[in-house]
Amino acid sequence: MAMIPTIQRQQSLPSTTGVAPPPVVPGQNFGGKSLSNAFAQLGDISEKLYLAETASQVGNATTTAQIKLAALKRELDGGDPATAVGTYEARAEAIREEAARGLNPKAAEEFDKKYRILSTAGQIHNSSTVTKKRYSELKGALITNLNALAKSAAENPNALVSAEDLIDKALKTNVITGLEANKLLLKFKGGLDTAAATQLLFLDPHKLKKLLKDSKNLSNLDPVERAKFGERAEVRITKLNNAGKTAARKVERKFLSFASDYISAVRTGADVSPEISARLSDENIRKIISDPDEAKVIIAKVRNAETDGRDIALITGASLKDQ
């Protein structure tokens, strides 16, 4: 049988001609890109503007709050400590609300953070000021009470005990420090000794002079004050002595005048009462006449006059009998 001839291929046919195809160039939409960039730039500018406005609003609100808080602090510093704390809290909240009015949300959030710091600092200052002022008032009251006790010490034997109790309570409640307590107690004791020394200076300067010679007496007087009291006691004693001498001389002069009249009367034989004669006894004359020699002379004159008077009386009596 005859066979149909076929074509036999040893290799496959090439799929290409061997020449590279031309490159594919995609289409470009330049108009769309420009518009996108423009919107991005506008968004960036808007964000920056918002942040700038936020910063400005926060700055303005913070400055306003600082000014008003400072004014509030000055006002409350001079007010009543009992109500200052509550007043500060209410007024500070009103200042915050007023300063935050009209802020955008971000500015309001940032301002609140800053204001909490400002308000807390102000509250701490206010509380500290109130505390110091109240303690100052309590300390002033303590000193006033101590002064009142010192003035009444002469009539109040328990003044020192009361003062120690007041000082101890003030120390335990932190109104005063330990050093202040010691100073106040020493000052009070010194005041008691000063009052006692002053009283003795006028009532009994001799006793004061004697007490000051022993350092155990009036021991709370400082050395300078102690020396001054000693000097004042000497001056006081001198004045009293001079005044006493002057008064005594007046009494003596009056007594001498009386004695002279007595001598003149009894010398003539006049009758005098026993009471008058008793005033011119030797003992009484020595008591009133400070100079012993002068007293002896007066005694002699009185006794001589009395003798003369008795002699005259005897003579007169004998003469009457003869008649």
mmCIF file of all heavy atoms in Angstrom, residues 54-101:
data_model
loop_
_atom_site.group_PDB
_atom_site.id
_atom_site.type_symbol
_atom_site.label_atom_id
_atom_site.label_comp_id
_atom_site.label_asym_id
_atom_site.label_seq_id
_atom_site.Cartn_x
_atom_site.Cartn_y
_atom_site.Cartn_z
ATOM 1 N N THR A 54 -4.882 77.639 68.583
ATOM 2 C CA THR A 54 -5.022 76.936 69.867
ATOM 3 C C THR A 54 -3.993 77.444 70.865
ATOM 4 O O THR A 54 -4.319 77.746 72.026
ATOM 5 C CB THR A 54 -4.857 75.424 69.678
ATOM 6 O OG1 THR A 54 -5.912 74.941 68.833
ATOM 7 C CG2 THR A 54 -4.897 74.693 71.017
ATOM 8 N N ALA A 55 -2.737 77.543 70.415
ATOM 9 C CA ALA A 55 -1.667 78.024 71.295
ATOM 10 C C ALA A 55 -1.946 79.446 71.761
ATOM 11 O O ALA A 55 -1.723 79.800 72.921
ATOM 12 C CB ALA A 55 -0.327 77.959 70.572
ATOM 13 N N SER A 56 -2.450 80.273 70.846
ATOM 14 C CA SER A 56 -2.759 81.666 71.192
ATOM 15 C C SER A 56 -3.883 81.731 72.220
ATOM 16 O O SER A 56 -3.818 82.483 73.198
ATOM 17 C CB SER A 56 -3.147 82.440 69.930
ATOM 18 O OG SER A 56 -3.517 83.768 70.254
ATOM 19 N N GLN A 57 -4.918 80.918 71.997
ATOM 20 C CA GLN A 57 -6.051 80.907 72.924
ATOM 21 C C GLN A 57 -5.616 80.428 74.311
ATOM 22 O O GLN A 57 -6.008 81.008 75.333
ATOM 23 C CB GLN A 57 -7.163 79.999 72.377
ATOM 24 C CG GLN A 57 -7.893 80.581 71.189
ATOM 25 C CD GLN A 57 -9.002 79.651 70.698
ATOM 26 O OE1 GLN A 57 -9.270 78.607 71.295
ATOM 27 N NE2 GLN A 57 -9.655 80.033 69.610
ATOM 28 N N VAL A 58 -4.783 79.367 74.339
ATOM 29 C CA VAL A 58 -4.308 78.841 75.619
ATOM 30 C C VAL A 58 -3.465 79.892 76.338
ATOM 31 O O VAL A 58 -3.594 80.114 77.542
ATOM 32 C CB VAL A 58 -3.494 77.551 75.421
ATOM 33 C CG1 VAL A 58 -2.828 77.120 76.728
ATOM 34 C CG2 VAL A 58 -4.387 76.435 74.900
ATOM 35 N N GLY A 59 -2.596 80.581 75.587
ATOM 36 C CA GLY A 59 -1.750 81.622 76.182
ATOM 37 C C GLY A 59 -2.568 82.759 76.768
ATOM 38 O O GLY A 59 -2.314 83.211 77.890
ATOM 39 N N ASN A 60 -3.545 83.222 75.994
ATOM 40 C CA ASN A 60 -4.391 84.333 76.460
ATOM 41 C C ASN A 60 -5.202 83.922 77.702
ATOM 42 O O ASN A 60 -5.298 84.679 78.678
ATOM 43 C CB ASN A 60 -5.343 84.776 75.348
ATOM 44 C CG ASN A 60 -4.610 85.462 74.213
ATOM 45 O OD1 ASN A 60 -3.507 85.965 74.394
ATOM 46 N ND2 ASN A 60 -5.214 85.466 73.022
ATOM 47 N N ALA A 61 -5.779 82.736 77.654
ATOM 48 C CA ALA A 61 -6.591 82.268 78.776
ATOM 49 C C ALA A 61 -5.736 82.083 80.028
ATOM 50 O O ALA A 61 -6.142 82.428 81.145
ATOM 51 C CB ALA A 61 -7.284 80.952 78.413
ATOM 52 N N THR A 62 -4.530 81.539 79.841
ATOM 53 C CA THR A 62 -3.629 81.313 80.979
ATOM 54 C C THR A 62 -3.203 82.635 81.605
ATOM 55 O O THR A 62 -3.175 82.781 82.837
ATOM 56 C CB THR A 62 -2.391 80.527 80.529
ATOM 57 O OG1 THR A 62 -2.797 79.284 79.946
ATOM 58 C CG2 THR A 62 -1.467 80.247 81.708
ATOM 59 N N THR A 63 -2.856 83.616 80.765
ATOM 60 C CA THR A 63 -2.453 84.930 81.281
ATOM 61 C C THR A 63 -3.587 85.582 82.064
ATOM 62 O O THR A 63 -3.387 86.124 83.156
ATOM 63 C CB THR A 63 -2.035 85.843 80.118
ATOM 64 O OG1 THR A 63 -0.936 85.243 79.423
ATOM 65 C CG2 THR A 63 -1.610 87.212 80.631
ATOM 66 N N THR A 64 -4.787 85.520 81.494
ATOM 67 C CA THR A 64 -5.961 86.079 82.178
ATOM 68 C C THR A 64 -6.175 85.408 83.531
ATOM 69 O O THR A 64 -6.419 86.066 84.546
ATOM 70 C CB THR A 64 -7.217 85.898 81.310
ATOM 71 O OG1 THR A 64 -7.036 86.588 80.069
ATOM 72 C CG2 THR A 64 -8.445 86.451 82.014
ATOM 73 N N ALA A 65 -6.052 84.083 83.539
ATOM 74 C CA ALA A 65 -6.255 83.332 84.782
ATOM 75 C C ALA A 65 -5.186 83.690 85.818
ATOM 76 O O ALA A 65 -5.489 83.852 87.002
ATOM 77 C CB ALA A 65 -6.234 81.833 84.492
ATOM 78 N N GLN A 66 -3.936 83.818 85.369
ATOM 79 C CA GLN A 66 -2.847 84.151 86.293
ATOM 80 C C GLN A 66 -3.081 85.504 86.951
ATOM 81 O O GLN A 66 -2.879 85.665 88.161
ATOM 82 C CB GLN A 66 -1.515 84.160 85.546
ATOM 83 C CG GLN A 66 -0.994 82.765 85.212
ATOM 84 C CD GLN A 66 0.261 82.818 84.372
ATOM 85 O OE1 GLN A 66 0.415 83.695 83.515
ATOM 86 N NE2 GLN A 66 1.163 81.878 84.592
ATOM 87 N N ILE A 67 -3.506 86.483 86.153
ATOM 88 C CA ILE A 67 -3.749 87.833 86.686
ATOM 89 C C ILE A 67 -4.868 87.803 87.721
ATOM 90 O O ILE A 67 -4.758 88.380 88.810
ATOM 91 C CB ILE A 67 -4.094 88.802 85.544
ATOM 92 C CG1 ILE A 67 -2.871 89.006 84.633
ATOM 93 C CG2 ILE A 67 -4.584 90.140 86.097
ATOM 94 C CD1 ILE A 67 -3.160 89.783 83.373
ATOM 95 N N LYS A 68 -5.937 87.094 87.405
ATOM 96 C CA LYS A 68 -7.084 87.077 88.312
ATOM 97 C C LYS A 68 -6.805 86.236 89.562
ATOM 98 O O LYS A 68 -7.268 86.570 90.666
ATOM 99 C CB LYS A 68 -8.314 86.557 87.574
ATOM 100 C CG LYS A 68 -8.781 87.525 86.489
ATOM 101 C CD LYS A 68 -10.133 87.160 85.937
ATOM 102 C CE LYS A 68 -10.616 88.228 84.955
ATOM 103 N NZ LYS A 68 -11.970 87.949 84.448
ATOM 104 N N LEU A 69 -6.035 85.166 89.407
ATOM 105 C CA LEU A 69 -5.665 84.362 90.575
ATOM 106 C C LEU A 69 -4.744 85.141 91.518
ATOM 107 O O LEU A 69 -4.849 85.039 92.741
ATOM 108 C CB LEU A 69 -4.987 83.059 90.142
ATOM 109 C CG LEU A 69 -5.898 81.965 89.566
ATOM 110 C CD1 LEU A 69 -5.074 80.798 89.066
ATOM 111 C CD2 LEU A 69 -6.897 81.479 90.633
ATOM 112 N N ALA A 70 -3.841 85.931 90.930
ATOM 113 C CA ALA A 70 -2.941 86.752 91.748
ATOM 114 C C ALA A 70 -3.734 87.794 92.534
ATOM 115 O O ALA A 70 -3.473 88.047 93.715
ATOM 116 C CB ALA A 70 -1.900 87.430 90.868
ATOM 117 N N ALA A 71 -4.729 88.403 91.860
ATOM 118 C CA ALA A 71 -5.577 89.389 92.541
ATOM 119 C C ALA A 71 -6.382 88.730 93.654
ATOM 120 O O ALA A 71 -6.544 89.293 94.743
ATOM 121 C CB ALA A 71 -6.518 90.050 91.533
ATOM 122 N N LEU A 72 -6.870 87.517 93.384
ATOM 123 C CA LEU A 72 -7.625 86.778 94.392
ATOM 124 C C LEU A 72 -6.733 86.445 95.593
ATOM 125 O O LEU A 72 -7.149 86.562 96.752
ATOM 126 C CB LEU A 72 -8.190 85.497 93.778
ATOM 127 C CG LEU A 72 -8.940 84.550 94.730
ATOM 128 C CD1 LEU A 72 -10.149 85.242 95.343
ATOM 129 C CD2 LEU A 72 -9.364 83.277 93.994
ATOM 130 N N LYS A 73 -5.503 86.047 95.325
ATOM 131 C CA LYS A 73 -4.562 85.707 96.400
ATOM 132 C C LYS A 73 -4.312 86.919 97.295
ATOM 133 O O LYS A 73 -4.341 86.814 98.523
ATOM 134 C CB LYS A 73 -3.245 85.227 95.796
ATOM 135 C CG LYS A 73 -2.176 84.881 96.831
ATOM 136 C CD LYS A 73 -0.911 84.387 96.179
ATOM 137 C CE LYS A 73 -0.140 85.510 95.527
ATOM 138 N NZ LYS A 73 0.411 86.478 96.496
ATOM 139 N N ARG A 74 -4.086 88.092 96.673
ATOM 140 C CA ARG A 74 -3.840 89.316 97.456
ATOM 141 C C ARG A 74 -5.062 89.671 98.308
ATOM 142 O O ARG A 74 -4.938 90.095 99.455
ATOM 143 C CB ARG A 74 -3.486 90.482 96.531
ATOM 144 C CG ARG A 74 -2.105 90.371 95.912
ATOM 145 C CD ARG A 74 -1.707 91.684 95.259
ATOM 146 N NE ARG A 74 -2.613 92.071 94.191
ATOM 147 C CZ ARG A 74 -2.471 91.698 92.919
ATOM 148 N NH1 ARG A 74 -1.460 90.917 92.569
ATOM 149 N NH2 ARG A 74 -3.331 92.097 92.000
ATOM 150 N N GLU A 75 -6.226 89.493 97.716
ATOM 151 C CA GLU A 75 -7.460 89.822 98.438
ATOM 152 C C GLU A 75 -7.655 88.917 99.652
ATOM 153 O O GLU A 75 -7.970 89.383 100.746
ATOM 154 C CB GLU A 75 -8.656 89.675 97.492
ATOM 155 C CG GLU A 75 -9.995 89.948 98.165
ATOM 156 C CD GLU A 75 -11.165 89.688 97.225
ATOM 157 O OE1 GLU A 75 -10.963 89.712 95.992
ATOM 158 O OE2 GLU A 75 -12.270 89.434 97.735
ATOM 159 N N LEU A 76 -7.429 87.606 99.449
ATOM 160 C CA LEU A 76 -7.668 86.658 100.533
ATOM 161 C C LEU A 76 -6.573 86.703 101.590
ATOM 162 O O LEU A 76 -6.818 86.359 102.744
ATOM 163 C CB LEU A 76 -7.784 85.240 99.974
ATOM 164 C CG LEU A 76 -8.985 84.991 99.055
ATOM 165 C CD1 LEU A 76 -8.994 83.545 98.582
ATOM 166 C CD2 LEU A 76 -10.290 85.319 99.776
ATOM 167 N N ASP A 77 -5.370 87.131 101.220
ATOM 168 C CA ASP A 77 -4.278 87.232 102.197
ATOM 169 C C ASP A 77 -4.639 88.191 103.322
ATOM 170 O O ASP A 77 -4.184 88.034 104.453
ATOM 171 C CB ASP A 77 -2.986 87.690 101.527
ATOM 172 C CG ASP A 77 -2.313 86.554 100.774
ATOM 173 O OD1 ASP A 77 -2.753 85.393 100.939
ATOM 174 O OD2 ASP A 77 -1.350 86.810 100.022
ATOM 175 N N GLY A 78 -5.438 89.200 103.002
ATOM 176 C CA GLY A 78 -5.805 90.177 104.030
ATOM 177 C C GLY A 78 -7.168 89.937 104.639
ATOM 178 O O GLY A 78 -7.659 90.752 105.409
ATOM 179 N N GLY A 79 -7.784 88.788 104.294
ATOM 180 C CA GLY A 79 -9.133 88.521 104.779
ATOM 181 C C GLY A 79 -9.171 87.636 106.000
ATOM 182 O O GLY A 79 -8.176 87.460 106.705
ATOM 183 N N ASP A 80 -10.342 87.057 106.229
ATOM 184 C CA ASP A 80 -10.566 86.211 107.397
ATOM 185 C C ASP A 80 -10.049 84.807 107.127
ATOM 186 O O ASP A 80 -10.498 84.134 106.192
ATOM 187 C CB ASP A 80 -12.069 86.153 107.694
ATOM 188 C CG ASP A 80 -12.389 85.324 108.929
ATOM 189 O OD1 ASP A 80 -11.434 84.872 109.590
ATOM 190 O OD2 ASP A 80 -13.574 85.139 109.230
ATOM 191 N N PRO A 81 -9.093 84.315 107.932
ATOM 192 C CA PRO A 81 -8.536 82.979 107.700
ATOM 193 C C PRO A 81 -9.597 81.883 107.783
ATOM 194 O O PRO A 81 -9.474 80.850 107.130
ATOM 195 C CB PRO A 81 -7.519 82.825 108.840
ATOM 196 C CG PRO A 81 -7.197 84.213 109.271
ATOM 197 C CD PRO A 81 -8.448 85.001 109.047
ATOM 198 N N ALA A 82 -10.643 82.081 108.552
ATOM 199 C CA ALA A 82 -11.652 81.041 108.752
ATOM 200 C C ALA A 82 -12.426 80.740 107.472
ATOM 201 O O ALA A 82 -12.913 79.631 107.282
ATOM 202 C CB ALA A 82 -12.615 81.466 109.858
ATOM 203 N N THR A 83 -12.562 81.697 106.569
ATOM 204 C CA THR A 83 -13.360 81.497 105.355
ATOM 205 C C THR A 83 -12.523 81.529 104.080
ATOM 206 O O THR A 83 -13.054 81.325 102.990
ATOM 207 C CB THR A 83 -14.439 82.595 105.252
ATOM 208 O OG1 THR A 83 -13.795 83.882 105.202
ATOM 209 C CG2 THR A 83 -15.368 82.546 106.452
ATOM 210 N N ALA A 84 -11.215 81.776 104.216
ATOM 211 C CA ALA A 84 -10.375 81.995 103.028
ATOM 212 C C ALA A 84 -10.289 80.768 102.142
ATOM 213 O O ALA A 84 -10.336 80.867 100.914
ATOM 214 C CB ALA A 84 -8.977 82.435 103.460
ATOM 215 N N VAL A 85 -10.162 79.573 102.727
ATOM 216 C CA VAL A 85 -9.982 78.359 101.929
ATOM 217 C C VAL A 85 -11.212 78.082 101.068
ATOM 218 O O VAL A 85 -11.123 77.862 99.861
ATOM 219 C CB VAL A 85 -9.685 77.147 102.845
ATOM 220 C CG1 VAL A 85 -9.655 75.870 102.022
ATOM 221 C CG2 VAL A 85 -8.362 77.345 103.570
ATOM 222 N N GLY A 86 -12.405 78.098 101.672
ATOM 223 C CA GLY A 86 -13.634 77.858 100.916
ATOM 224 C C GLY A 86 -13.876 78.921 99.871
ATOM 225 O O GLY A 86 -14.316 78.632 98.753
ATOM 226 N N THR A 87 -13.566 80.157 100.213
ATOM 227 C CA THR A 87 -13.741 81.262 99.261
ATOM 228 C C THR A 87 -12.829 81.083 98.069
ATOM 229 O O THR A 87 -13.224 81.317 96.921
ATOM 230 C CB THR A 87 -13.452 82.605 99.955
ATOM 231 O OG1 THR A 87 -14.320 82.753 101.066
ATOM 232 C CG2 THR A 87 -13.638 83.756 98.987
ATOM 233 N N TYR A 88 -11.572 80.666 98.300
ATOM 234 C CA TYR A 88 -10.622 80.488 97.204
ATOM 235 C C TYR A 88 -11.117 79.445 96.216
ATOM 236 O O TYR A 88 -11.067 79.656 94.993
ATOM 237 C CB TYR A 88 -9.254 80.073 97.752
ATOM 238 C CG TYR A 88 -8.249 79.845 96.655
ATOM 239 C CD1 TYR A 88 -7.529 80.898 96.114
ATOM 240 C CD2 TYR A 88 -8.058 78.567 96.115
ATOM 241 C CE1 TYR A 88 -6.630 80.686 95.075
ATOM 242 C CE2 TYR A 88 -7.160 78.346 95.083
ATOM 243 C CZ TYR A 88 -6.454 79.412 94.571
ATOM 244 O OH TYR A 88 -5.569 79.205 93.536
ATOM 245 N N GLU A 89 -11.599 78.316 96.709
ATOM 246 C CA GLU A 89 -12.031 77.242 95.818
ATOM 247 C C GLU A 89 -13.168 77.694 94.905
ATOM 248 O O GLU A 89 -13.160 77.430 93.697
ATOM 249 C CB GLU A 89 -12.462 76.036 96.647
ATOM 250 C CG GLU A 89 -11.310 75.368 97.386
ATOM 251 C CD GLU A 89 -11.777 74.261 98.306
ATOM 252 O OE1 GLU A 89 -13.004 74.127 98.481
ATOM 253 O OE2 GLU A 89 -10.916 73.543 98.861
ATOM 254 N N ALA A 90 -14.152 78.376 95.463
ATOM 255 C CA ALA A 90 -15.306 78.817 94.672
ATOM 256 C C ALA A 90 -14.902 79.885 93.665
ATOM 257 O O ALA A 90 -15.298 79.846 92.492
ATOM 258 C CB ALA A 90 -16.393 79.355 95.613
ATOM 259 N N ARG A 91 -14.096 80.843 94.119
ATOM 260 C CA ARG A 91 -13.690 81.941 93.225
ATOM 261 C C ARG A 91 -12.746 81.436 92.131
ATOM 262 O O ARG A 91 -12.790 81.918 90.983
ATOM 263 C CB ARG A 91 -12.998 83.034 94.057
ATOM 264 C CG ARG A 91 -13.894 83.708 95.106
ATOM 265 C CD ARG A 91 -14.678 84.856 94.503
ATOM 266 N NE ARG A 91 -13.818 85.925 94.055
ATOM 267 C CZ ARG A 91 -13.301 86.867 94.852
ATOM 268 N NH1 ARG A 91 -13.598 86.856 96.167
ATOM 269 N NH2 ARG A 91 -12.540 87.823 94.377
ATOM 270 N N ALA A 92 -11.878 80.496 92.476
ATOM 271 C CA ALA A 92 -10.942 79.957 91.484
ATOM 272 C C ALA A 92 -11.688 79.226 90.378
ATOM 273 O O ALA A 92 -11.326 79.311 89.193
ATOM 274 C CB ALA A 92 -9.951 79.012 92.165
ATOM 275 N N GLU A 93 -12.743 78.499 90.719
ATOM 276 C CA GLU A 93 -13.545 77.796 89.707
ATOM 277 C C GLU A 93 -14.263 78.792 88.801
ATOM 278 O O GLU A 93 -14.349 78.589 87.579
ATOM 279 C CB GLU A 93 -14.564 76.887 90.402
ATOM 280 C CG GLU A 93 -15.494 76.140 89.454
ATOM 281 C CD GLU A 93 -14.772 75.258 88.462
ATOM 282 O OE1 GLU A 93 -13.619 74.860 88.739
ATOM 283 O OE2 GLU A 93 -15.354 74.959 87.401
ATOM 284 N N ALA A 94 -14.734 79.894 89.356
ATOM 285 C CA ALA A 94 -15.383 80.926 88.547
ATOM 286 C C ALA A 94 -14.379 81.557 87.589
ATOM 287 O O ALA A 94 -14.706 81.853 86.422
ATOM 288 C CB ALA A 94 -15.987 81.997 89.469
ATOM 289 N N ILE A 95 -13.143 81.747 88.026
ATOM 290 C CA ILE A 95 -12.091 82.309 87.162
ATOM 291 C C ILE A 95 -11.796 81.345 86.019
ATOM 292 O O ILE A 95 -11.622 81.754 84.866
ATOM 293 C CB ILE A 95 -10.822 82.581 87.988
ATOM 294 C CG1 ILE A 95 -11.062 83.766 88.936
ATOM 295 C CG2 ILE A 95 -9.631 82.858 87.080
ATOM 296 C CD1 ILE A 95 -9.943 84.011 89.924
ATOM 297 N N ARG A 96 -11.752 80.047 86.305
ATOM 298 C CA ARG A 96 -11.483 79.054 85.259
ATOM 299 C C ARG A 96 -12.571 79.078 84.194
ATOM 300 O O ARG A 96 -12.279 79.080 82.996
ATOM 301 C CB ARG A 96 -11.393 77.656 85.882
ATOM 302 C CG ARG A 96 -10.964 76.569 84.876
ATOM 303 C CD ARG A 96 -11.324 75.189 85.366
ATOM 304 N NE ARG A 96 -12.769 74.991 85.399
ATOM 305 C CZ ARG A 96 -13.506 74.745 84.318
ATOM 306 N NH1 ARG A 96 -12.953 74.688 83.117
ATOM 307 N NH2 ARG A 96 -14.811 74.583 84.435
ATOM 308 N N GLU A 97 -13.802 79.113 84.627
ATOM 309 C CA GLU A 97 -14.911 79.109 83.671
ATOM 310 C C GLU A 97 -14.885 80.354 82.796
ATOM 311 O O GLU A 97 -15.117 80.277 81.581
ATOM 312 C CB GLU A 97 -16.239 79.019 84.426
ATOM 313 C CG GLU A 97 -16.463 77.680 85.117
ATOM 314 C CD GLU A 97 -17.756 77.649 85.913
ATOM 315 O OE1 GLU A 97 -18.432 78.708 85.957
ATOM 316 O OE2 GLU A 97 -18.092 76.592 86.483
ATOM 317 N N GLU A 98 -14.597 81.479 83.394
ATOM 318 C CA GLU A 98 -14.576 82.727 82.624
ATOM 319 C C GLU A 98 -13.424 82.729 81.628
ATOM 320 O O GLU A 98 -13.591 83.123 80.464
ATOM 321 C CB GLU A 98 -14.437 83.907 83.588
ATOM 322 C CG GLU A 98 -14.451 85.261 82.875
ATOM 323 C CD GLU A 98 -14.321 86.420 83.846
ATOM 324 O OE1 GLU A 98 -14.338 86.178 85.068
ATOM 325 O OE2 GLU A 98 -14.191 87.559 83.371
ATOM 326 N N ALA A 99 -12.254 82.272 82.043
ATOM 327 C CA ALA A 99 -11.084 82.279 81.165
ATOM 328 C C ALA A 99 -11.227 81.275 80.023
ATOM 329 O O ALA A 99 -10.699 81.478 78.928
ATOM 330 C CB ALA A 99 -9.819 81.979 81.980
ATOM 331 N N ALA A 100 -11.943 80.172 80.253
ATOM 332 C CA ALA A 100 -12.082 79.115 79.238
ATOM 333 C C ALA A 100 -13.202 79.385 78.249
ATOM 334 O O ALA A 100 -13.336 78.651 77.259
ATOM 335 C CB ALA A 100 -12.324 77.771 79.938
ATOM 336 N N ARG A 101 -13.963 80.440 78.487
ATOM 337 C CA ARG A 101 -15.103 80.714 77.620
ATOM 338 C C ARG A 101 -14.632 81.049 76.197
ATOM 339 O O ARG A 101 -13.770 81.890 75.996
ATOM 340 C CB ARG A 101 -15.926 81.865 78.198
ATOM 341 C CG ARG A 101 -17.291 82.037 77.550
ATOM 342 C CD ARG A 101 -18.109 83.059 78.312
ATOM 343 N NE ARG A 101 -18.405 82.588 79.678
ATOM 344 C CZ ARG A 101 -18.192 83.297 80.769
ATOM 345 N NH1 ARG A 101 -17.672 84.509 80.678
ATOM 346 N NH2 ARG A 101 -18.494 82.794 81.960
#
